[in-house]
């Protein structure tokens, strides 16, 4: 078990493409961190740099106290679980697990002991002598996991390990992974583009976009307090709109918006006068239309979808026809299109995002 | 799912007739003639009879013994040599880099040079007043041109075989190595395997089938070689094909030639299969299962 | 940038540079080797074919004193070379088309139908490749004598068709297997009968396979020596048998050079064609992100 500390890592490929821009990431020993982002955001590059398959253009990678930046992968105390599993097709499950132990020249009894423990950890004792082709996708995934665990690495690197499993299995393996991590105590760096996976598993989520970390923090924190439109939109669903800060008293701000004048409660001050704001569809409360109080507005419904546990409602504010709003009502029936509903948002549930950048004159998109 | 109806099999049979049927018909006819001829039939000298005399002759024929082992040696060395020479290139060109495609194109040129032309190029290069001697004389290593054409050990034939067959091995092995996923190599590195361990435990076992295929084809080609041997090989011993032809034409003895031909086929079959088996044994012994 | 980072950067750059430098050195080495190994011999052949008969080329001249097309002229006008070229080029396309036609039903069965013993049938279809062709040629000539069949053109044609059909079957099997079943089902769904399905789906999708099989067989047939030599000699010559006659025991260097170059012509055409294909793929290295 060791902390991992990535500092100012940049990566430029031979063809000139810059995949990472001075990225810094750190995980405490035994922590589970996730690199989350759309494809091409650099998360896999970052993982491969930590594994040692790539060499960074700039920056350092530390494992515990040791600078491992220049070490080849075979000398690093990390083990990777590949998206494709990368099982050796000509070896049995046991052969795959044993491969790395043989490379380390561990004494035979120790090898056998570790094989048994790893197989037991992923409940694959019955499949030990099968080759990868004879195993199901889920079983292959477990062999890949067991192979990494048997190395007793300080850090396990996961490259979208669940993306080839079906939805049900994926949910199950999520819990098992967390349990294994607690049992074996390794530090985990987990790459995924699936926000639900990231939120469900991680201690800390690093959200990446275009080779940069755009926000990081515990899952609740970045879900509740996104700092940009990208984060708000990538993690869950958000109503994003433009606003202008009119006044404030303490942490209470008054903002003009397409929904009329809104009160916003925020301990983070707005980054500019003109800026983006957002709120989550599930934070809207239905109110009686007469009240007309704080942060209330009327919504003309254009479409609604009943999803069982909630109802997804799309519409626009009655005095802003070109703004589309999405509201998720819990334990509510269908809402007929054409009707008007009245909703309210708690000031504490509205977030300031980044400033609106006015396009320079003479430059068109 | 395998349909079993009679109609289905009638259809399959009809479809196979012009292709596989013709091949099998031709080969059976040829092999039947080979057997019959070696047993005294179809001598075209008037007095055919069934006899084992020609097979007995082989046992005491010193020329036969020498050419049998000569061809066996040439075939084995060519097969192993071509594959061994191809492997470093395969590994070097596994991952693309600037110029790697041109490199692999250059390496494959001999594939497009007909065998006889290759033989001519070699002879032209190596002969008494060829470029090789010319170059050595120019540099001052030798005063008189060397007579190295038709060397006694058959080095010329081996050079030609390897020259011609290495690209073929390269082609087969490249395909096999490419089909090993990059992730598998990375996983092996991640598990602590260095370049040598990756080659022995990952590359060799996973390319075994292609390696065997390449060796079998090269072995059979080299065992039955006639033209390289006649052009660049030693005056003695004969290669099997050469001895067979000499026996047939100069000796006029088709029956004994048939025995040599049969032995050549047997050597091709068993030699190549044993070589493939030995390679499998060696690879499996060396690598983890 | 901290000092440590800067050190890292320098270290990385130098290891990167090292890798590139090693590759460049290897490329340079290979170019040098292939120069001696491949291109020098070919250039020598070209030069030798142009040596004027009046002044021989011998040590210590680096280049021949007089160059002329006299050898080409002489071979063209005074030997059976034109006939041989005619024979070869009459033979090869015919072999190609007949082999493809005969291979088609078998390839279809291998590629698209399931039946018991398919893998054995597929292995059997490779028999002509694994039998030593020189021995096969001699036995086949006995068969022909026995059958009193003396048309040399047809004999060689039959031999070549059988010898090269495995390549056609192999390539076409892959082509037929790769036609997606969905397309055929869709065509059936739109009421296309067997003939319409063949014409509108199989034919266009397998055409590349047919083209490459035809090219390969064409080249193999042009180059083939054993059958042409055994079945054709002495009166039916092809380009390889002519070349052989200038190589063996009476080595006529300049003539051999001329015939070698003629024999290599179709291959060079193919090579240029391949180069263009490679060029369209691009030579720059790819990086995965």
């Amino acid at each position: 078990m060791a902390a991992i500390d990535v500092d100012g890592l940049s990566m430029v490929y031979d063809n000139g493409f810059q995949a990472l821009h001075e990225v810094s990431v750190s995980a405490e020993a035994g922590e589970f961190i996730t690199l989350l982002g759309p494809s091409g955001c650099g998360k896999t590059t970052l993982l491969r740099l930590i594994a040692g398959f790539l060499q960074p253009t700039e920056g350092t990678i530390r494992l515990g106290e040791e600078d491992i930046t220049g070490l080849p992968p075979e000398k690093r105390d990390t083990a990777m679980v590949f998206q494709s599993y990368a099982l050796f097709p000509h070896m049995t499950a046991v052969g795959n697990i044993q491969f790395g132990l043989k490379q380390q020249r561990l004494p035979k009894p120790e090898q056998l002991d570790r094989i048994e423990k790893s197989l037991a950890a992923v409940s694959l004792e019955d499949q030990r002598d099968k080759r990868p082709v004879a195993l199901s996708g889920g079983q292959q995934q477990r062999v890949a996991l067991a192979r990494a665990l048997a190395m007793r690495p300080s850090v396990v690197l996961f490259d979208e390990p669940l993306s080839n499993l079906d939805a049900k299995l994926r949910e199950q393996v999520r819990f098992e992974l967390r349990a294994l991590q607690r049992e074996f105590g390794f530090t985990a760096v987990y790459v995924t583009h699936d926000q639900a996976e990231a939120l469900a598993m991680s201690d800390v989520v690093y959200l990446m976009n275009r080779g940069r970390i755009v926000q990081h923090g515990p899952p609740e924190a970045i879900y509740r307090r996104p700092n940009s439109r990208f984060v708000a939109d990538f993690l869950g669903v958000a109503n994003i709109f433009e606003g202008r800060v009119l006044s404030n008293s303490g942490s209470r701000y008054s903002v003009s918006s397409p929904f009329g004048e809104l009160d916003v409660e925020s301990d983070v001050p707005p980054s500019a006068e003109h800026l983006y704001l957002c709120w989550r569809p599930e934070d809207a409360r239905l109110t009686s239309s007469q009240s007309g109080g704080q942060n209330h507005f009327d919504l003309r419904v254009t479409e609604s979808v009943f999803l069982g546990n909630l109802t997804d409602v799309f519409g626009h504010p009655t005095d802003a026809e070109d703004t589309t709003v999405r509201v998720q009502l819990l334990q509510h029936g269908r809402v007929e299109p054409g009707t008007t509903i009245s909703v309210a948002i708690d000031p504490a549930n509205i977030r300031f995002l980044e400033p609106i950048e006015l396009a320079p004159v003479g430059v068109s998109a | 799912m395998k349909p079993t109806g009679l109609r289905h099999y009638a259809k399959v049979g009809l479809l196979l007739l012009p292709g596989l049927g013709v091949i099998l018909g031709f080969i059976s006819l040829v092999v039947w003639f080979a057997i019959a001829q070696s047993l005294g039939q179809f001598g075209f000298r008037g007095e055919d009879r069934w006899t084992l005399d020609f097979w007995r002759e082989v046992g005491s024929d010193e020329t036969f013994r020498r050419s049998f082992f000569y061809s066996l040696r040439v075939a084995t060395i060519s097969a192993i040599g071509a594959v061994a020479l191809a492997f470093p290139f395969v590994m070097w060109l596994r991952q693309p880099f600037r110029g790697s495609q041109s490199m692999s194109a250059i390496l494959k040129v001999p594939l497009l040079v007909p065998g006889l032309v290759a033989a001519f190029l070699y002879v032209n290069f190596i002969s008494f007043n060829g470029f090789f001697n010319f170059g050595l004389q120019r540099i001052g290593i030798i005063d008189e041109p060397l007579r190295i054409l038709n060397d006694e050990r058959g080095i010329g034939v081996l050079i030609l075989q390897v020259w011609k067959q290495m690209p073929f091995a390269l082609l087969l092995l490249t395909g096999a190595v490419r089909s090993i996923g990059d992730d598998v190599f990375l996983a092996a590195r991640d598990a602590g395997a260095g370049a040598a361990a990756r080659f022995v435990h990952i590359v060799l076992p996973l390319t075994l089938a292609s390696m065997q295929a390449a060796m079998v084809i090269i072995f059979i080609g080299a065992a039955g070689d006639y033209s390289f041997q006649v052009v660049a090989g030693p005056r003695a011993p004969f290669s099997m094909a050469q001895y067979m032809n000499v026996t047939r034409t100069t000796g006029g003895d088709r029956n004994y030639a048939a025995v040599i031909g049969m032995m050549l086929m047997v050597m091709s079959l068993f030699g190549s299969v044993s070589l493939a088996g030995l390679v499998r044994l060696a690879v499996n012994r060396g690598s983890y299962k | 940038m901290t000092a440590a980072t800067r050190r890292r950067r320098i270290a990385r750059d130098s290891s990167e540079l090292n890798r590139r430098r090693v590759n460049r050195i290897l490329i340079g080495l290979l170019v040098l080797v292939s120069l001696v190994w491949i291109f020098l011999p070919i250039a020598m052949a070209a030069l030798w074919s142009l040596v004027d008969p009046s002044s021989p080329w011998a040590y210590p001249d680096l280049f021949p004193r007089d160059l002329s097309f006299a050898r080409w002229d002489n071979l063209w006008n005074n030997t059976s070379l034109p006939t041989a070229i005619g024979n070869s080029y009459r033979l090869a396309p015919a072999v190609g088309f007949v082999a493809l036609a005969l291979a088609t039903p078998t390839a279809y069965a291998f590629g698209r139908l399931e039946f018991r013993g398919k893998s054995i049938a597929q292995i059997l279809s490779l028999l002509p490749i694994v039998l030593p062709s020189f021995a096969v040629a001699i036995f086949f000539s006995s068969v022909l004598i026995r059958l009193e069949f003396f048309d040399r053109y047809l004999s060689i044609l039959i031999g070549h068709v059988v010898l090269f059909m495995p390549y056609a079957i192999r390539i076409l099997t892959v082509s037929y297997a790769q036609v997606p079943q969905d397309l055929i089902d869709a065509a059936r769904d739109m009421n296309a009968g067997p003939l319409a399905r063949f014409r509108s789906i199989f034919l266009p999708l397998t055409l590349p396979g047919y083209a490459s099989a035809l090219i390969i067989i064409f080249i193999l047939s042009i180059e083939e020596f054993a059958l042409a030599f055994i079945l054709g000699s002495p009166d039916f010559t092809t380009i390889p048998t002519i070349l052989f006659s200038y190589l063996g025991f009476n080595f006529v260097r300049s003539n051999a050079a001329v015939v070698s170059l003629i024999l290599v012509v179709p291959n060079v055409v193919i090579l240029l064609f391949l180069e263009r294909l490679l060029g369209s793929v691009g030579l720059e290295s790819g990086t995965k992100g």
Side-chain angles (χ1 to χ4, degrees):
Chain A
M1 210 197 296
I4 190 143
D5 185 28
V6 171
D7 186 30
L9 219 54
S10 290
M11 177 69 200
V12 183
Y13 281 109
D14 287 348
N15 59 10
F17 173 70
Q18 180 153 13
L20 291 179
H21 301 263
E22 299 190 19
V23 166
S24 296
V25 167
S26 63
E28 305 283 324
E31 213 174 25
F32 196 115
I33 69 166
T34 298
L35 309 175
L36 174 68
S39 64
C41 71
K43 56 190 191 298
T44 298
T45 299
L46 179 49
L47 196 73
R48 294 194 166 215
L49 284 166
I50 298 175
F53 299 141
L54 298 172
Q55 277 295 305
T57 318
E58 255 182 68
T60 53
I61 303 167
R62 280 172 194 288
L63 191 60
E65 295 300 301
E66 191 194 359
D67 183 345
I68 59 164
T69 319
L71 289 183
E74 50 269 41
K75 298 263 160 63
R76 294 187 186 199
D77 190 14
T78 60
M80 181 133 149
V81 179
F82 291 82
Q83 183 174 16
S84 64
Y85 312 142
L87 296 179
F88 306 125
H90 57 299
M91 299 179 194
T92 60
V94 168
N96 266 280
I97 298 170
Q98 200 169 12
F99 182 81
L101 309 177
K102 283 184 176 164
Q103 295 307 318
Q104 287 186 340
R105 298 182 201 286
L106 289 178
K108 193 87 181 186
E110 167 85 16
Q111 289 187 17
L112 296 178
D113 181 55
R114 286 208 196 174
I115 291 170
E116 288 319 311
K117 290 221 169 83
S118 315
L119 277 173
V122 297
S123 333
L124 270 185
E125 294 97 327
D126 296 344
Q127 318 292 334
R128 54 190 313 139
D129 292 324
K130 288 191 181 164
R131 292 194 180 189
V133 280
L135 298 171
S136 71
Q139 290 168 336
Q140 291 182 19
Q141 209 274 334
R142 283 153 193 269
V143 175
L145 192 58
R147 184 172 70 179
L149 292 179
M151 301 291 287
R152 298 287 148 82
S154 304
V155 180
V156 180
L157 307 168
F158 295 94
D159 186 9
E160 310 210 20
L162 308 186
S163 61
N164 291 327
L165 302 181
D166 61 57
K168 195 129 197 163
L169 199 53
R170 208 178 312 168
E171 254 175 53
Q172 184 194 335
V173 179
R174 268 185 217 162
F175 292 114
E176 291 175 4
L177 266 185
R178 263 330 285 256
L180 283 173
Q181 192 233 350
R182 270 181 230 114
E183 183 189 335
F184 283 80
F186 53 83
T187 308
V189 182
Y190 190 99
V191 158
T192 182
H193 64 268
D194 181 339
Q195 42 137 335
E197 224 165 271
L199 294 178
M201 303 180 76
S202 329
D203 296 319
V204 177
V205 175
Y206 284 82
L207 195 55
M208 297 182 67
N209 191 28
R210 297 183 182 182
R212 292 188 164 87
I213 307 278
V214 289
Q215 192 174 358
H216 73 276
E220 317 81 69
I222 59 170
Y223 183 79
R224 303 297 331 167
R225 301 164 187 277
N227 65 4
S228 63
R229 284 178 296 162
F230 173 79
V231 178
D233 200 42
F234 193 82
L235 272 185
V237 183
N239 290 301
I240 298 169
F241 56 96
E242 299 179 4
R244 189 160 77 88
V245 181
L246 301 173
S247 63
N248 78 310
S249 61
S251 62
R252 195 93 174 175
Y253 298 82
S254 182
V255 178
S256 82
S257 79
F259 310 105
E261 208 171 297
L262 290 177
D263 282 346
V264 178
E265 173 82 39
S266 170
D267 18 327
V268 185
S271 49
E273 187 188 343
H274 291 270
L275 81 176
Y276 294 100
L277 298 96
C278 76
W279 49 273
R280 300 280 183 196
E282 70 270 21
D283 288 334
R285 287 176 291 114
L286 262 187
T287 59
S288 52
S289 54
Q290 298 92 324
S291 52
Q294 185 194 42
N295 287 3
H296 276 234
F297 57 93
D298 291 335
L299 209 61
R300 180 173 298 281
V301 176
T302 52
E303 202 171 335
S304 101
V305 185
F306 176 66
L307 292 171
N309 57 342
L310 56 83
T311 305
D312 230 341
V313 180
F314 297 85
H316 35 252
T318 43
D319 43 3
E321 293 283 312
D322 53 346
T323 308
T324 300
V325 174
R326 183 172 181 180
V327 176
Q328 288 172 338
L329 304 172
L330 285 169
Q331 297 174 344
H332 196 284
R334 254 185 85 80
V335 181
E336 284 306 315
T339 56
T340 302
I341 57 172
S342 187
V343 294
I345 323 261
D346 190 323
N349 286 333
I350 303 178
R351 294 282 146 222
F352 291 126
L353 304 177
E354 74 271 32
I356 298 170
E357 282 176 29
L358 298 168
V361 181
V363 177
S364 59
Chain B
M1 183 202 66
K2 294 191 181 184
T4 46
L6 203 62
R7 268 177 62 96
H8 180 70
Y9 277 92
K11 181 180 161 191
V12 168
L14 275 178
L15 285 171
L16 294 186
L17 204 59
L20 184 61
V22 165
I23 288 176
L24 290 183
F26 181 95
I27 298 295
S28 326
L29 197 62
V30 162
V31 171
W32 159 243
F33 252 73
I35 296 170
Q37 248 181 358
S38 75
L39 294 174
Q41 298 297 304
F42 309 124
F44 305 118
R45 286 190 295 194
E47 2 90 72
D48 288 350
R49 65 198 164 87
W50 292 99
T51 169
L52 280 172
D53 285 355
F54 301 105
W55 282 96
R56 280 192 206 100
E57 205 178 324
V58 152
S60 55
D61 182 354
E62 180 61 17
T63 315
F64 172 82
R65 205 187 59 79
R66 288 186 59 203
S67 56
F68 183 89
F69 286 106
Y70 171 77
S71 281
L72 187 64
R73 185 174 68 94
V74 167
T76 309
I77 297 177
S78 302
I80 295 174
V83 168
L85 199 63
F87 252 124
F89 291 114
V90 174
M91 297 312 289
W92 181 42
L93 297 171
R94 187 177 77 81
Q95 288 202 311
F97 55 87
R98 186 167 285 280
S100 62
Q101 284 201 340
S102 319
M103 282 306 102
S104 85
I106 288 178
L107 283 171
K108 283 179 195 136
V109 165
L111 213 52
L112 281 167
V113 177
L116 276 174
V117 175
F120 164 69
L121 296 179
Y122 174 76
V123 169
N124 193 28
F125 198 66
I126 218 78
S127 63
F128 189 70
N129 45 359
F131 193 83
F132 185 72
N133 274 320
F134 179 87
L136 291 185
Q137 275 178 289
R138 251 333 218 312
I139 304 169
I141 296 180
I142 51 169
D143 298 327
E144 282 295 303
L146 303 168
R147 290 192 183 276
I148 39 181
L149 185 59
N150 307 109
D151 68 287
E152 273 172 36
R153 307 177 58 88
I155 309 264
V157 175
L158 286 176
I159 289 177
L160 271 170
Q161 289 287 359
V162 171
W163 189 88
K164 185 83 177 87
Q165 304 291 11
M166 193 276 274
F168 173 69
L170 188 74
L171 204 68
L172 284 189
L173 292 174
T174 302
V177 169
R178 290 255 164 90
S179 69
I180 306 173
D182 270 354
D183 278 356
V184 170
F185 281 98
L186 293 183
R189 281 190 79 178
D190 200 40
R198 290 199 294 273
F199 184 73
V200 172
H201 301 305
I202 308 291
V203 175
L204 283 183
L206 287 177
T207 54
L208 180 62
S210 302
M211 203 155 57
Q212 288 175 313
M215 281 187 167
V216 164
I217 302 264
I218 296 171
F219 183 96
I220 292 170
D225 166 60
Y226 177 83
S227 47
F228 285 174
Q229 170 67 19
V230 172
V231 175
R235 295 283 169 250
F238 293 138
S239 79
M240 287 288 276
Q242 188 184 20
Y243 188 35
M244 182 186 180
N245 197 43
V246 167
T247 308
R248 182 188 67 122
T249 51
T250 354
D253 191 346
R254 281 182 177 271
N255 300 110
Y256 190 51
V259 174
I260 302 168
M262 290 288 293
M263 287 304 289
L264 172 55
M265 291 193 203
V266 168
M267 183 210 287
S268 300
L269 197 69
F270 286 98
S272 59
V273 169
S274 332
L275 185 61
L278 284 176
V279 168
R280 147 159 289 174
L281 216 63
V283 167
N284 283 347
R285 173 151 296 201
S287 70
Y288 312 145
K289 275 166 270 309
Chain C
M1 198 156 57
T2 66
T5 319
R6 201 169 303 122
R7 270 203 307 278
R8 277 269 2 101
R9 182 174 206 175
I10 291 162
R12 176 192 124 95
D13 285 355
S14 68
S15 83
E16 184 64 29
L17 270 180
N18 262 337
R19 197 171 61 86
R20 289 216 185 123
R21 192 174 307 142
V22 166
N23 264 345
R24 209 166 303 146
I25 291 170
L26 283 176
I27 291 177
L29 218 66
L30 184 59
V31 167
L32 204 75
V33 168
S34 53
L35 214 68
V36 178
W37 190 245
I38 297 169
F39 296 107
L40 198 62
I42 293 172
M44 300 296 291
L47 267 185
W48 268 104
S49 77
L50 295 173
V51 170
D52 195 89
S54 59
S55 51
W57 179 18
Y59 187 81
D61 297 342
L62 189 52
F63 285 104
R65 283 190 203 145
D66 295 300
L67 292 182
S68 75
F69 280 100
R71 301 281 183 179
W72 291 76
D73 233 41
N74 174 44
L75 270 178
W76 191 260
N77 292 321
N78 303 326
T79 69
S80 58
L81 181 64
T83 331
I85 293 176
N87 285 340
S88 280
Y89 280 83
R90 253 182 334 122
L91 203 55
V95 169
F97 284 109
V98 174
L100 287 182
L102 292 180
T104 294
T106 297
Y108 176 85
F110 284 169
R112 298 216 70 87
L113 301 179
E114 285 303 322
F115 53 92
R116 238 202 286 214
K118 182 162 127 179
S119 48
I120 295 172
Q122 281 184 290
I123 292 173
L124 285 179
S125 74
L126 297 178
L127 266 178
I129 295 186
V130 298
L131 288 178
S133 61
F134 202 81
V136 168
I138 291 179
F139 290 126
F140 184 49
S141 82
S142 289
V143 175
L144 293 174
I145 295 171
R146 178 71 185 71
L147 296 174
E148 293 176 13
F149 184 86
F150 295 116
D151 185 324
R152 302 206 184 276
Y153 174 80
L154 276 181
S155 309
I156 300 175
L157 180 80
I158 295 168
H160 278 192
V161 164
V162 173
L163 208 58
F164 302 138
M165 201 149 46
Y167 298 95
I169 291 178
R170 191 101 195 95
I171 294 169
L172 295 181
T173 297
V174 174
S175 294
Y176 276 103
Q178 279 174 345
V179 175
Q181 185 63 37
D182 282 359
L183 290 186
I184 300 155
D185 292 344
R188 271 187 114 143
D189 206 37
M190 291 180 274
N191 300 333
L195 203 69
R197 292 204 294 273
F198 186 81
R199 243 195 17 220
S200 58
I201 296 172
F202 282 120
L203 201 60
L205 290 183
T206 54
L207 211 56
Y210 276 98
S212 49
L214 188 65
I215 291 172
I216 288 174
I217 295 179
F218 183 89
I219 291 204
L220 288 173
S221 171
I222 291 268
E223 290 177 15
E224 204 282 335
F225 168 70
L227 271 158
F229 178 63
I230 299 291
L231 300 178
S233 60
D235 46 328
F236 188 90
T237 53
T238 64
I239 308 175
T241 57
I242 284 254
L243 174 54
F244 184 74
S245 71
Y246 293 131
L247 286 176
F249 295 103
N250 35 4
F251 178 39
V252 190
R253 187 191 290 237
S254 294
N255 290 3
V258 171
V259 184
S260 287
L261 291 173
I262 292 174
L263 187 51
V264 128
V265 164
N267 298 338
V268 171
V269 172
I270 301 292
L271 187 69
L272 293 176
F273 183 66
L274 279 184
E275 273 302 309
R276 239 183 39 196
L277 271 181
L278 287 180
S280 69
V281 174
L283 295 174
E284 65 277 353
S285 66
T287 358
K288 240 173 57 178

